[in-house]
């Protein structure tokens, strides 16, 4: 069963790295749009977020990798297009943590998702276009997974700055599960279930609604899917479900940060060293 907090992590990686484009790709890639984030989503941040990279921090590192890759490629006789303006974006990594929570998203997309929900796709599109314009030899020199310039650039920036993120990733999943099953959240969840039932939608929880097999059969959301998602958002709002989930998860994560204090201190230090290494490269130009 897919849990929506993981979608944020995957999308952040996709936004940062882009996708491989075919040599015949057009020079102007256009990726799917999504409704602008609501204030609620912009403010939906949790304690663990401080210890993992945001989109803007990933873009900072990507800017430094571009510069290092350019220098490496020049030594091999190739050009490397440095992507210029990586704008600043709100941190939307938790936008789908509790499935759909915004009415504009429910109305337009139902329970469907795309990378644009988590941040800008402009940089991803530029990276896809850049790769499409490269010769096969230049592309291999840049993107070879063993010794390509882009990989080597990433290795250089991360050298001595890495900390195993398996624990925080596991705790991130567990805090959501613990909150969802907690006595503090139970009344709001029961209220959501009853609200949905009153509207003709019988689900045990909001994940069951989001993962209804009917939604997977069509690429575009049906009227039924969108109506169900709209009811879902309305019932979450009436039950105060997102608020109590966020408050409960915050308490759980703060507890775990205290219990694993040394680990989280190492994680924060490794992250800052990684960002500092990127800033140093950018400052050198």
């Amino acid at each position: 069963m897919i849990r929506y907090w993981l979608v944020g992590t995957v999308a952040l990686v996709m936004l940062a790295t882009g996708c491989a484009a075919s040599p015949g790709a057009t020079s102007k890639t256009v990726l799917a749009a999504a409704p602008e984030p609501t204030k609620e989503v912009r403010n939906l941040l949790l304690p663990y977020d401080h210890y993992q990279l945001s989109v803007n921090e990933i873009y900072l590192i990507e800017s430094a990798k571009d510069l290092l890759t350019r220098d490496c490629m020049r030594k091999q006789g190739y050009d490397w297009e440095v992507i210029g303006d990586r704008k600043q974006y709100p941190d939307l990594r938790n936008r789908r943590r509790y499935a759909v929570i915004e009415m504009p998203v429910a109305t337009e997309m139902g329970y469907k998702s795309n990378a644009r929900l988590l941040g800008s796709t402009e940089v991803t599109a530029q990276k896809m276009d850049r790769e499409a314009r490269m010769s096969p030899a230049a592309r291999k020199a840049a993107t070879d997974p063993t010794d390509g310039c882009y990989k080597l650039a990433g290795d250089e920036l991360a050298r001595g700055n890495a900390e195993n993120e398996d624990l925080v990733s596991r705790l991130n999943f567990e805090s959501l599960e613990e909150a969802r099953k907690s006595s503090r959240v139970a009344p709001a969840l029961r209220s959501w279930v009853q609200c949905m039932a009153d509207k003709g939608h019988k689900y045990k929880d909001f994940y069951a609604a989001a993962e209804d097999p009917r939604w997977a059969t069509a690429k575009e959301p049906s009227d039924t899917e969108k109506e169900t998602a709209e009811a879902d958002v309305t019932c979450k709002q009436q039950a105060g479900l997102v608020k109590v989930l966020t408050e409960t998860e915050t308490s759980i994560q703060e507890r775990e940060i205290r219990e694993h204090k040394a680990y989280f201190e190492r994680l924060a230090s490794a992250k800052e060293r990684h960002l500092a290494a990127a800033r140093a490269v950018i400052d050198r130009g």
Side-chain angles (χ1 to χ4, degrees), residues 22-97:
S22 66
T26 61
S27 61
K28 284 291 183 181
T29 298
V30 178
L31 299 177
E36 288 299 310
T38 61
K39 182 179 179 181
E40 179 183 28
V41 162
R42 289 171 180 265
N43 294 332
L44 184 50
L45 297 173
L46 294 165
Y48 291 161
D49 297 342
H50 172 72
Y51 299 90
Q52 298 177 299
L53 295 172
S54 68
V55 168
N56 290 329
E57 289 166 337
I58 290 173
Y59 282 172
L60 174 69
I61 291 170
E62 291 291 314
S63 293
K65 287 174 68 175
D66 259 0
L67 295 172
L68 293 173
T69 301
R70 178 198 63 190
D71 295 344
C72 172
M73 291 286 281
R74 282 176 176 172
K75 292 177 181 177
Q76 300 185 50
Y78 299 112
D79 291 326
W80 177 258
E81 178 186 339
V82 173
I83 293 175
D85 184 19
R86 284 177 165 91
K87 301 174 183 178
Q88 295 292 296
Y89 297 97
D91 191 340
L92 306 178
R93 73 182 83 190
N94 297 316
R95 192 173 192 178
R96 297 299 292 272
R97 190 171 181 89

Side-chain angles (χ1 to χ4, degrees), residues 13 17 25 50 57 122 136 155 163 172 176 197 223 227 243 253 263 279:
V13 173
T17 61
H50 172 72
E57 289 166 337
E122 294 172 13
D155 291 346
E163 178 66 37
N172 201 1
L176 176 55
D223 290 342
E227 188 275 328
K243 182 176 185 291
Q253 292 189 8
Y263 169 73
R279 292 187 191 102

Side-chain angles (χ1 to χ4, degrees), residues 110-132:
Y111 290 104
K112 299 291 189 285
S113 184
N114 63 35
R116 181 64 180 84
L117 278 172
L118 280 299
S120 172
T121 54
E122 294 172 13
V123 172
T124 303
Q126 290 180 63
K127 290 167 73 70
M128 293 169 69
D129 291 341
R130 175 177 64 191
E131 185 172 340

